[in-house]
Amino acid sequence: MSDAYTAERRKLMGDRASEEFRPGAPDGRPPVLPDYQVADENSIDVSALLGVGEPTVSKAGEEETDSNGALRGDTCHIDVIDRWGNMVAATPSGGWFQSSPVVPELGFSLSTRAQMFWLKEGLPSTLMGGKRPRTTLTPSMALKHGKPYLAWGTPGGDQQDQWSLSFLLRHLHHGYNLQEAIDAPSFHSEHPPSSFWPRLAKPNLLLVEGRMPKDSVEELKRRGHDVSVGEDWSEGRLSACSQETRNGMRYLRAGANPRGMQGYAAGR
């Protein structure tokens, strides 16, 4: 997070999209990674397999069941501010509960986020005792003048960091209110290997919403991006809430994802 390291990484940004995979080396530590080309060429069809990949349901918010008739699970996100100003951002995720039953002696289920471990030796996320798996879950909070100001987040696997960052930049640097920042046409890249097995990678692929201005899409293509245009409301599941005191008055604000009617903002 240092300014010097950020400046070093910024030099990699040019006028043209890069098809290379160029992870950083903070403090001079070289990254230890599986083979990127293997991720690119992996063509395993996992769509019909149980308990594989990111837990997700229909974008229309409809309940779905698997081949055994069990209700599919999904990651969700919630942001809350109470009357005393306490703030919570939480992203519960456990869409594979059918394969992770509750252990009676413990009172909770074993998280299937352990699927993010690697069985290949010598990696930072190699499966072994005493380690925690990395995770895509990114509930986020921000302070303003040293006080809790903003809580936000989203479901979405590897898209969470991407959508959350876009939301924050729109709000802080472009003056969008919470709902405007959530509603704005969004995008995500599938260039890095997926966090979920079989960890596919799609080099240079950029997915954008259909509402993205055509001029922007054409400019991205001109710069070398492989752009795929999706439906008008297909990117993001964000929600957010904020609090601020001005002139002795306390203001609470909230916004929620309109995509698929899966999110709501409420106050009382």
Side-chain angles (χ1 to χ4, degrees):
M1 296 297 291
S2 72
D3 291 341
Y5 181 68
T6 300
E8 178 184 336
R9 296 292 293 171
R10 188 182 294 119
K11 294 177 183 177
L12 296 175
M13 298 174 63
D15 293 333
R16 299 282 301 175
S18 171
E19 296 187 7
E20 299 179 43
F21 187 54
R22 302 181 291 185
D27 295 329
R29 294 169 294 177
V32 182
L33 296 164
D35 190 274
Y36 183 66
Q37 185 176 1
V38 172
D40 176 18
E41 296 174 352
N42 197 336
S43 59
I44 297 175
D45 182 7
V46 298
S47 59
L49 300 181
L50 179 65
V52 169
E54 178 199 349
T56 187
V57 296
S58 168
K59 291 181 179 180
E62 300 167 352
E63 293 186 347
E64 294 184 341
T65 56
D66 60 26
S67 58
N68 298 318
L71 186 66
R72 292 184 185 274
D74 195 8
T75 303
C76 60
H77 180 82
I78 185 170
D79 305 293
V80 179
I81 302 173
D82 69 16
R83 69 183 69 182
W84 299 282
N86 298 305
M87 182 180 289
V88 173
T91 312
S93 182
W96 308 271
F97 281 147
Q98 63 270 33
S99 60
S100 295
V102 170
V103 180
E105 291 80 3
L106 300 178
F108 57 85
S109 62
L110 298 178
S111 171
T112 44
R113 285 282 165 177
Q115 69 158 270
M116 295 194 179
F117 280 122
W118 285 81
L119 300 182
K120 182 177 180 179
E121 295 185 359
L123 300 174
S125 294
T126 297
L127 177 63
M128 64 175 58
K131 280 196 173 185
R132 294 188 306 174
R134 63 176 298 278
T135 177
T136 60
L137 302 173
T138 322
S140 302
M141 300 182 71
L143 307 182
K144 187 173 184 178
H145 305 306
K147 297 181 180 180
Y149 166 67
L150 177 67
W152 80 102
T154 175
D158 290 314
Q159 286 88 269
Q160 291 187 32
D161 284 337
Q162 300 183 58
W163 293 335
S164 292
L165 177 59
S166 297
F167 162 84
L168 184 63
L169 295 177
R170 292 173 188 140
H171 181 56
L172 296 185
H173 296 291
H174 298 280
Y176 288 31
N177 65 37
L178 299 185
Q179 193 62 53
E180 289 172 336
I182 292 170
D183 289 353
S186 198
F187 61 90
H188 79 271
S189 170
E190 295 195 358
H191 184 79
S194 171
S195 295
F196 301 91
W197 186 87
R199 306 177 193 272
L200 303 177
K202 299 177 181 177
N204 207 28
L205 180 62
L206 185 67
L207 289 88
V208 304
E209 284 188 320
R211 296 178 297 124
M212 190 71 69
K214 292 183 179 180
D215 290 346
S216 299
V217 173
E218 293 305 315
E219 179 64 14
L220 288 168
K221 291 180 179 178
R222 188 188 70 79
R223 290 175 179 252
H225 292 277
D226 180 10
V227 182
S228 175
V229 180
E231 298 176 4
D232 285 357
W233 296 88
S234 56
E235 292 285 321
R237 294 292 183 270
L238 288 151
S239 66
C241 59
S242 68
Q243 60 180 340
E244 196 169 12
T245 300
R246 293 183 180 180
N247 301 320
M249 295 289 292
R250 182 164 174 258
Y251 294 89
L252 299 179
R253 301 181 178 91
N257 161 56
R259 297 163 175 87
M261 295 298 290
Q262 291 180 318
Y264 300 90
R268 62 177 185 177

